[in-house]
Amino acid sequence: MRDVQKWFGKLHVLQDIDLTVKRGEVVVVIGPSGSGKSTLCRTINRLETIDSGEILIDGERLPEEGKALAHHRADVGMVFQSFNLFAHKTILENVTLGPIKVRKKSKAEAEKRAHELLDRVGIAHQAEKYPAQLSGGQQQRVAIARALAMDPKVMLFDEPTSALDPEMIKEVLDVMVELAEGGMTMIVVTHEMGFARTAAHRVCFMADGAIVEETDPESFFTNPQSDRAKDFLGKILKH
């Protein structure tokens, strides 16, 4: 992301964003509510447009629309706060839909890969069920498998655990830690500081639409430089 700017009316929600994520790197974006974290995440998939600047993935500029954009989105996996699964399709169908329709894989090939991925996220036995029959944590793991089925170059996670009950958060974070250890390029917006500490290569702290600090987790959590970060950490680490 180079000099990315975005406004919602008079509100400058992304200010001078410069961010480079290397292949295989895990970058965790944290900050107070309304700081622009989710908007930043969503611009990378062009779910939100930008007003100026540029976003490149693997050296290619983010397409505006049409076929090129659909092709680009296939390379960028996204996992949302709400699981966004198709309620009327089975878990297996949810995971195979993209590879068959977008990647033009055969049904057999897509199903074989889907079973491998569902096994990887620990829900192989749920393949024939429907989303409503699964817990929130299980549904979110399906959403991760669905994103992985497209063989993305990068995975975006927009507060993937914030709609989950506490006991389900760990099962989703465990899958994400495993992905991180496996070398997946990841940008994660989260309130889970434990995940940021253990899985991130880099922490970006955002406030008021800008990246205020960017450093390794150890430095950030033990020695934040800005008053905004000190204040934020003081509030969340007390409890």
Side-chain angles (χ1 to χ4, degrees):
M1 303 179 81
R2 291 185 191 146
D3 195 26
V4 170
Q5 314 286 345
K6 179 169 179 65
W7 278 266
F8 285 136
K10 288 183 176 166
L11 194 62
H12 199 174
V13 286
L14 292 180
Q15 303 183 33
D16 314 318
I17 299 292
D18 282 299
L19 178 65
T20 301
V21 179
K22 299 187 191 78
R23 191 167 300 191
E25 191 177 22
V26 178
V27 172
V28 171
V29 183
I30 59 178
S33 292
S35 57
K37 308 182 299 291
S38 287
T39 305
L40 180 142
C41 203
R42 292 167 71 87
T43 59
I44 300 170
N45 213 7
R46 214 175 147 60
L47 292 169
E48 296 282 0
T49 56
I50 59 174
D51 292 309
S52 65
E54 59 176 0
I55 300 175
L56 298 101
I57 291 190
D58 218 2
E60 288 182 27
R61 276 192 72 145
L62 194 53
E64 295 293 312
E65 55 201 19
K67 277 223 167 92
L69 181 59
H71 182 74
H72 156 83
R73 280 198 176 132
D75 284 339
V76 182
M78 182 127 193
V79 179
F80 301 88
Q81 194 169 344
S82 52
F83 324 123
N84 293 4
L85 298 174
F86 293 111
H88 62 289
K89 292 190 180 297
T90 65
I91 298 312
L92 187 65
E93 288 167 341
N94 265 283
V95 178
T96 57
L97 190 68
I100 292 169
K101 285 244 192 287
V102 181
R103 296 284 194 212
K104 307 296 181 210
K105 289 190 172 175
S106 70
K107 190 175 176 213
E109 192 184 0
E111 287 188 350
K112 180 175 181 286
R113 176 83 174 124
H115 282 297
E116 285 167 10
L117 288 168
L118 289 171
D119 186 42
R120 186 170 166 188
V121 299
I123 38 177
H125 56 296
Q126 310 281 17
E128 298 309 321
K129 288 188 176 171
Y130 288 86
Q133 295 172 282
L134 271 56
S135 72
Q138 290 171 326
Q139 289 187 58
Q140 194 59 297
R141 286 186 282 157
V142 173
I144 293 173
R146 178 180 61 178
L148 290 173
M150 298 296 284
D151 295 319
K153 290 176 177 172
V154 56
M155 287 276 282
L156 307 174
F157 294 86
D158 187 8
E159 300 197 10
T161 58
S162 58
L164 299 176
D165 292 336
E167 73 271 18
M168 293 175 191
I169 290 175
K170 183 181 180 305
E171 64 189 55
V172 173
L173 291 177
D174 284 347
V175 170
M176 290 168 61
V177 167
E178 210 171 278
L179 276 184
E181 287 170 350
M184 174 59 77
T185 310
M186 293 163 64
I187 299 170
V188 184
V189 173
T190 187
H191 295 291
E192 296 297 328
M193 296 303 132
F195 176 82
R197 263 194 134 129
T198 55
H201 295 107
R202 205 162 18 127
V203 170
C204 288
F205 175 73
M206 285 187 78
D208 305 319
I211 295 175
V212 180
E213 275 189 56
E214 197 180 332
T215 184
D216 66 280
E218 193 53 33
S219 305
F220 179 74
F221 286 107
T222 55
N223 187 23
Q225 299 300 303
S226 64
D227 290 340
R228 288 302 305 266
K230 285 173 189 164
D231 181 52
F232 176 78
L233 288 171
K235 281 178 180 155
I236 57 162
L237 297 178
K238 271 187 184 131
H239 296 289

